[in-house]
Amino acid sequence: MLQVVFTQLNHKMFQKSEKIDFIEAVQKSAELEKVCREEKKELAGHFYLIEKDSDGSPIYTGTFQFGSYKAPNLYQHIKQNLEQMKINKQHEQDKLILLSKMEDCLPDIFKLAEKNEHVHLIGLDQSRISKLKKWQRRAIYSIAGIVSLTLVGTATFMSLVISNGKHDVQKQTNLVKEQTKIINQYEHALLGDNASILNYFDKHKKDLTKEQIQLYAKLLLDQKKYKDVVDLYKNDVGFVETLISTKGSIDQLREYNASFPTDEGKFDLLFADKKYANLLKLTKVEMTVKRSEMKTYAYLKTGNIQGAKNELLNNSNEELKQKITKFEDLTKQLKDIDNAISISKESKKNDDVKKLTDRKNELQKQLMSI
């Protein structure tokens, strides 16, 4: 478990040098960030992360500038910094492990990336926004923000070219009109009119940014237009499978895999169906951290403790590590009980056999529940 220690922060909500659990630190940081924004002030909070029950050596240090609007909570602050770091391959796994540990102990509400909607869409009636999926709102706000900044930059550039008369003013005017049109498309999408933005993306496929392609693909997936998504990603069926798998929709994954079968899709579906032995027979699967965790668990459920330990080295999932330890301990206890039952049967101690058998059944239930 992760813990946080703030070494410099002048606020009653945090005690200096106090060790607090990561989830509590994130929750408090979100509250303090909100307070600082409302009071229009900034506070610098120096902190470091440690592993609970470790020697106290920091695994991450940083400074969270409360009230700066740069991040809504401590987790988002750390995540943003880690993603921006330029590190070598040797430390890339350490980064992924830390991100995984933070995400595993947090409720989803703290994992949502914040976008300041009022800056880019100030004229939009917020009360009319439909109940879009969270990823849709975040993606639309994000891209709308980028386009808005582009629009502002274009407008500023226009004022310069008009003053010196060295550029084609009409061309820039048309560009501003096009950017404004894009903003309108995002506003319609926020109000539930996905058809409008889908139509726009379809007409401008060749000119879409990476962010726009991602949003376009997700909107198409919502409508189960799998062929269109595959075409969008130039027939990379494996990538599209991973995209669907990331969304966590098993039913949609089954539909997609029926039309575009891949080893990765088969792997994910076998795990969902708890067919762990069949999963382990697949050898040509592109492994991700998530699939490595799935494979570790599959080894465990099939009783291959050593295989689970070996695969754990590729993902370092703390929860799986604890499951392996528990599985190993229960397996040893069951073996000892079987020996004790045999001895009791030979001695014709029926009462002992019954007690031991009851205990064995209880341990087997625990083993199955892992």
Side-chain angles (χ1 to χ4, degrees), residues 1-4 20-22 49-51 59 98 101-102:
M1 179 182 291
L2 295 174
Q3 290 186 316
V4 179
I20 58 176
D21 290 341
F22 183 68
L49 287 182
I50 60 172
E51 290 273 11
I59 57 177
L98 178 55
K101 286 181 179 180
M102 291 193 298

Side-chain angles (χ1 to χ4, degrees), residues 240-258:
V240 177
E241 189 282 333
T242 301
L243 190 64
I244 297 173
S245 178
T246 302
K247 290 179 64 180
S249 174
I250 296 300
D251 290 338
Q252 191 173 58
L253 186 58
R254 290 189 198 283
E255 291 180 356
Y256 174 79
N257 200 62

Side-chain angles (χ1 to χ4, degrees), residues 174-189:
N174 292 338
L175 181 57
V176 171
K177 287 181 180 179
E178 180 61 23
Q179 299 287 2
T180 303
K181 183 179 178 181
I182 297 175
I183 291 292
N184 290 335
Q185 301 297 329
Y186 289 121
E187 290 186 352
H188 283 299

Side-chain angles (χ1 to χ4, degrees), residues 65 114 142 152 241 257 321 346 352 365 369:
Q65 195 71 20
E114 180 188 50
S142 176
V152 171
E241 189 282 333
N257 200 62
K321 182 179 179 181
E346 291 176 0
D352 289 348
K365 287 181 181 179
S369 66

Side-chain angles (χ1 to χ4, degrees), residues 149-167:
L149 290 174
T150 305
L151 179 58
V152 171
T154 304
T156 303
F157 180 68
M158 274 192 62
S159 66
L160 293 175
V161 300
I162 290 173
S163 63
N164 60 32
K166 293 181 180 179
H167 296 274

Side-chain angles (χ1 to χ4, degrees), residues 33-288:
E33 174 67 15
K34 182 179 179 182
V35 170
C36 289
R37 290 181 182 186
E38 291 173 349
E39 296 179 357
K40 297 181 179 180
K41 67 178 183 181
E42 292 190 21
L43 288 174
H46 302 288
F47 69 93
Y48 60 88
L49 287 182
I50 60 172
E51 290 273 11
K52 190 176 182 180
D53 300 326
S54 68
D55 60 2
S57 300
I59 57 177
Y60 180 92
T61 60
T63 301
F64 187 2
Q65 195 71 20
F66 292 95
S68 66
Y69 283 82
K70 292 181 179 178
N73 57 58
L74 186 65
Y75 161 74
Q76 291 289 349
H77 166 79
I78 297 173
K79 183 172 182 288
Q80 290 171 15
N81 285 346
L82 286 176
E83 290 175 344
Q84 292 171 3
M85 284 182 181
K86 293 183 178 180
I87 56 179
N88 56 35
K89 292 183 178 179
Q90 182 179 354
H91 295 107
E92 182 67 23
Q93 187 174 9
D94 293 334
K95 183 182 79 171
L96 293 175
I97 291 171
L98 178 55
L99 285 170
S100 178
K101 286 181 179 180
M102 291 193 298
E103 291 177 358
D104 287 345
C105 67
L106 286 178
D108 289 341
I109 189 171
F110 295 121
K111 301 176 187 177
L112 300 179
E114 180 188 50
K115 296 297 177 185
N116 195 333
E117 303 163 11
H118 301 290
V119 171
H120 306 309
L121 302 170
I122 192 73
L124 186 63
D125 182 359
Q126 301 293 317
S127 65
R128 293 179 57 210
I129 293 180
S130 62
K131 295 181 179 179
L132 297 179
K133 295 178 182 178
K134 292 177 181 178
W135 71 261
Q136 289 175 317
R137 290 198 297 271
R138 294 201 302 271
I140 291 170
Y141 284 136
S142 176
I143 301 174
I146 294 171
V147 175
S148 296
L149 290 174
T150 305
L151 179 58
V152 171
T154 304
T156 303
F157 180 68
M158 274 192 62
S159 66
L160 293 175
V161 300
I162 290 173
S163 63
N164 60 32
K166 293 181 180 179
H167 296 274
D168 185 355
V169 176
Q170 185 59 47
K171 182 178 178 181
Q172 296 302 322
T173 301
N174 292 338
L175 181 57
V176 171
K177 287 181 180 179
E178 180 61 23
Q179 299 287 2
T180 303
K181 183 179 178 181
I182 297 175
I183 291 292
N184 290 335
Q185 301 297 329
Y186 289 121
E187 290 186 352
H188 283 299
L190 284 171
L191 297 173
D193 181 12
N194 286 341
S196 177
I197 196 168
L198 280 168
N199 183 55
Y200 177 85
F201 284 153
D202 186 56
K203 290 181 178 179
H204 299 80
K205 286 180 182 178
K206 295 182 179 180
D207 302 319
L208 297 180
T209 65
K210 180 181 178 181
E211 291 80 8
Q212 287 174 324
I213 290 174
Q214 290 173 348
L215 175 57
Y216 187 25
K218 290 175 179 177
L219 289 171
L220 287 171
L221 286 176
D222 281 349
Q223 297 189 357
K224 301 182 179 181
K225 295 183 177 180
Y226 305 124
K227 180 64 168 61
D228 291 341
V229 183
V230 170
D231 290 342
L232 187 64
Y233 284 106
K234 299 179 180 178
N235 295 318
D236 191 344
V237 293
F239 178 82
V240 177
E241 189 282 333
T242 301
L243 190 64
I244 297 173
S245 178
T246 302
K247 290 179 64 180
S249 174
I250 296 300
D251 290 338
Q252 191 173 58
L253 186 58
R254 290 189 198 283
E255 291 180 356
Y256 174 79
N257 200 62
S259 301
F260 300 94
T262 63
D263 287 337
E264 289 75 20
K266 188 175 181 180
F267 183 97
D268 295 343
L269 290 172
L270 285 172
F271 185 83
D273 294 335
K274 300 182 180 180
K275 296 180 179 179
Y276 304 118
N278 292 336
L279 178 153
L280 292 172
K281 293 178 182 178
L282 296 176
T283 57
K284 297 180 180 180
V285 177
E286 183 178 347
M287 296 302 293
T288 61

Side-chain angles (χ1 to χ4, degrees), residues 298-354:
Y299 274 124
L300 192 60
K301 294 299 286 186
T302 54
N304 189 341
I305 297 176
Q306 189 57 50
K309 287 182 176 180
N310 292 340
E311 187 60 37
L312 184 68
L313 298 175
N314 296 322
N315 58 72
S316 302
N317 184 295
E318 187 63 31
E319 183 179 351
L320 284 172
K321 182 179 179 181
Q322 293 173 7
K323 286 181 183 292
I324 292 172
T325 300
K326 185 177 180 180
F327 193 99
E328 199 169 18
D329 180 59
L330 288 171
T331 302
K332 184 178 182 303
Q333 289 186 55
L334 284 167
K335 185 177 180 180
D336 292 341
I337 285 179
D338 281 337
N339 292 333
I341 289 175
S342 297
I343 295 172
S344 296
K345 283 182 177 179
E346 291 176 0
S347 303
K348 296 183 180 181
K349 296 179 180 180
N350 296 332
D351 289 343
D352 289 348
V353 171
K354 185 179 183 307

